[in-house]
Amino acid sequence: METKPTEISSGKMFGGYNKRFKHFSPTLGCSMNFHIYFPPSPSPSHKFPVLYWLSGLTCTDENFIFKSGAQRAAAAEGIALIAPDTSPRGLNVEGEADSWDLGVGAGFYVNATQEKWKNWRMYDYIVKELPNLLSDNFPQLETSKASIFGHSMGGHGALTIFLKNQDKYKSVSAFAPIANPINCPWGQKAFTNYLGDKKSDWEEYDATCLVTKFPNVSSSILIDQGEDDKFLPDQLLPHKFEEACRKANVPLLLRFQPGYDHLYYFIATFIDDHIQHHAQALSLI
C-alpha cells in the first residue's frame, strides 16, 4: 500500500496551486485524501511555513479549499494551507455512517480507545503522521514553522491540539469551536463512543479543561463566533472557554459577530483576519 502521497488533482489560484493528494495512512488503516494550497513561490529553493485547517462535522478535505477563499490571503502572506479529512473512510465499521455526528466525517480529533472505533485516531494523524509525511515528501514546506486553526469540531481540534503541543505550533485560532465538548450533546455522544465512560479521559480532549492544564500560552488565541449561530447556546459554549482563559491568564480574543451563523459565509468573511493572525506569529520565528 502506497504511503507516499500521490497527486490526484491540481488547480491554479491566486498565482499558487490547490493540489489534492491521496495516501495510505498506517495510523488510520485506510486511504486518506488531503489538500495543500501552495502559494506562488519567489524562488525554487523557497520554503513556506504551514497552516493546518481542521474542518467540522460532515466535511471532507474539500470544503475549506472550495468555500473559504483563504487562498488569496495565504498567497499574499506566503503561507501553505494544509487541509486534511475529518475521519477515516472506507473501513465499513458497523454504524459508521448512521448519524452525521459520529463515525465517518466526525473524527473529533481524538485517539479512540474503544475497540469498535480503534481506527479513529485523528489526533495522531494530525499531530504526528501528517507533519512527517509533509516533511518527507514536500521540500518546499517548512513544517517546523506551523500554526493551526479550524471550524466547529475542527475548532475544537485546533484548540486542543495547540494547547497540548505548543512546541509544535506557533499560534491557534478558531471559528465557532466546540469549546467545552464534555458539556455539550455532540461532545458527550462522540466521547462516550470513542473514549468510553471515564470523564477524566474526556477532559484530555476538552479545550476548556486543557487551558487550565497548559496555561503558558505565548501567542493570543483568536476565536470568531457568529451571534446568530443556532449551535451557540447548547453545543459551542465559548463563554466557558473564555472564563477558563481568564482564570488561567491565557490571552484570548473572542469576537462575537452580529448576524452571522455557523456556515462558510461567516468563515469567508473573517478568514483574512485569521490568516494575518497566523502570519504574524509565524513571522516572529
Side-chain angles (χ1 to χ4, degrees), residues 76-90:
E77 298 288 355
I79 294 172
L81 302 172
I82 317 294
D85 204 346
T86 52
S87 76
R89 293 184 190 267

Side-chain angles (χ1 to χ4, degrees), residues 146-256:
S147 290
I148 192 164
F149 67 153
H151 168 235
S152 195
M153 174 184 76
H156 140 77
L159 290 170
T160 53
I161 284 171
F162 171 79
L163 288 167
K164 293 206 272 191
N165 299 276
Q166 289 177 55
D167 57 325
K168 291 185 170 73
Y169 306 95
K170 309 302 176 192
S171 52
V172 68
S173 71
F175 293 86
I178 303 171
N180 188 201
I182 66 171
N183 286 317
C184 80
W186 281 338
Q188 289 164 352
K189 178 178 178 177
F191 288 0
T192 302
N193 280 276
Y194 296 148
L195 304 171
D197 295 324
K198 207 166 148 200
K199 299 290 190 292
S200 59
D201 293 340
W202 298 11
E203 290 172 3
E204 290 300 309
Y205 296 103
D206 184 299
T208 299
C209 301
L210 289 172
V211 90
T212 310
K213 254 178 116 168
F214 302 103
N216 298 322
V217 176
S218 53
S219 65
S220 185
I221 297 170
L222 171 63
I223 294 178
D224 275 312
Q225 172 62 60
E227 285 186 358
D228 285 12
D229 187 328
K230 67 181 179 183
F231 302 118
L232 176 55
D234 63 335
Q235 297 282 17
L236 305 176
L237 312 178
H239 291 299
K240 298 270 196 192
F241 184 69
E242 183 180 35
E243 190 184 331
C245 285
R246 189 177 47 77
K247 283 184 180 165
N249 233 5
V250 167
L252 169 69
L253 177 57
L254 171 58
R255 310 191 301 188
F256 285 92

Side-chain angles (χ1 to χ4, degrees), residues 14 30 47 50 59 64-65 72 117 136 145 156 176 201 204 209 212 224 242 278:
F14 299 118
C30 64
K47 290 170 89 76
V50 299
C59 289
F64 176 74
I65 294 295
R72 186 193 299 268
W117 301 104
D136 291 346
K145 279 189 179 181
H156 140 77
D201 293 340
E204 290 300 309
C209 301
T212 310
D224 275 312
E242 183 180 35
H278 295 294

Side-chain angles (χ1 to χ4, degrees), residues 18-40:
N18 293 314
K19 290 181 180 284
R20 195 184 199 196
F21 298 91
K22 183 181 190 127
H23 75 111
F24 180 80
S25 164
T27 304
L28 305 174
C30 64
S31 282
M32 293 292 283
N33 296 329
F34 63 90
H35 266 91
I36 303 177
Y37 175 69
F38 293 99

Side-chain angles (χ1 to χ4, degrees), residues 32-82:
M32 293 292 283
N33 296 329
F34 63 90
H35 266 91
I36 303 177
Y37 175 69
F38 293 99
S41 186
S43 72
S45 60
H46 185 78
K47 290 170 89 76
F48 298 107
V50 299
L51 177 54
Y52 294 91
W53 170 266
L54 304 185
S55 282
L57 288 163
T58 75
C59 289
T60 68
D61 59 303
E62 294 183 302
N63 301 66
F64 176 74
I65 294 295
F66 290 175
K67 294 179 178 179
S68 72
Q71 293 91 334
R72 186 193 299 268
E77 298 288 355
I79 294 172
L81 302 172
I82 317 294

